[in-house]
Amino acid sequence: MSEDLLRALPRARRYARALVGSQEAGDALVREALLALRRAPPEQGGEQGGTAALLALYRAVSARVPESPPLPGGGLTPLERQVLLLTSLEGLNPEAAAAVLGRDAGEVAAIAAAARERLREGAQAEVLIVEDEPIIAMDLGQLVAACGHRVAGIAATQSEAVALARSLNPTLILADINLGKGGDGKAAVAEILREMSVPVIFVTAYPERLLTGEALEPAFVVTKPFDPMTLAIATYQAVTGGLRLG
């Protein structure tokens, strides 16, 4: 495997996991994409080096998502989910996202705009925020509310997060990794998940540390700093469970 592909793997894993809603299914999708690229290496386009490898991986992952009609109840289509994840979570411009999806850039921009308007139609969640910085926690709460969800509670420490999860039974957890003197957000989530099944979005400045594919890791990772739309699509995917490919 080329060094460029190796460097692209964490971001490809983040995209695939968020797309299908789990570490296991997302990493399996990336493995299939890598095998496909080995059998048929992509033609060199206008991109160079690491960018070309990353877009090739995104393209190979996306090619394994079947086109489907809108979901019952007005949910986002697979194409709309891919466009939002590529342009928001992964930060691609419409031209790059269009190249990944084999679409026209204007079409991709229009799909993204329409899908953003319908994000609030997803199921609403009761969100437990795990964040030790009060101002950041308050900002996250406002963003969560703007996405159409309700803040069930805010925990500043590892022990408080576990206790609140037990008492509140949240339907979504939004957790920072580093809780300072209050402990470890990842450890808190691991303890919570031993007692209940709930989707988790991790917020971190170092996403590559959570995207190695070598251990139990989150399906949803948002990189600090992020904009409201990034959180909106991540929460939508988490609450709706991502795509089911078969």
Side-chain angles (χ1 to χ4, degrees), residues 78-228:
L79 178 58
E80 288 172 326
R81 294 176 188 239
Q82 290 175 87
V83 167
L84 287 182
L85 287 171
L86 288 169
T87 56
S88 295
L89 189 68
E90 299 304 318
L92 299 188
N93 59 39
E95 290 74 19
V100 167
L101 298 171
R103 304 271 176 164
D104 177 76
E107 179 189 9
V108 165
I111 290 171
R116 289 188 191 108
E117 292 296 320
R118 297 201 292 116
L119 271 178
R120 289 176 63 97
E121 296 175 8
Q124 294 185 343
E126 298 287 318
V127 184
L128 171 60
I129 295 174
V130 183
E131 169 60 61
D132 65 313
E133 294 288 345
I135 294 178
I136 296 177
M138 183 176 64
D139 288 342
L140 286 173
Q142 292 174 343
L143 289 175
V144 162
C147 293
H149 308 299
R150 191 181 80 83
V151 177
I154 297 176
T157 67
Q158 181 175 333
S159 60
E160 187 178 7
V162 174
L164 281 179
R166 287 171 177 159
S167 64
L168 297 173
N169 290 311
T171 56
L172 177 65
I173 296 175
L174 183 61
D176 194 358
I177 299 297
N178 184 1
L179 301 179
K181 295 180 180 180
D184 186 312
K186 192 175 178 182
V189 166
E191 187 172 349
I192 292 168
L193 293 181
R194 284 195 289 268
E195 301 181 16
M196 64 184 69
S197 177
V198 56
V200 178
I201 299 173
F202 276 115
V203 180
T204 176
Y206 305 100
E208 64 279 358
R209 297 179 184 176
L210 296 172
L211 298 165
T212 64
E214 296 175 351
L216 181 62
E217 297 169 347
F220 303 98
V221 180
V222 173
T223 305
K224 289 180 175 180
F226 58 87
D227 62 25

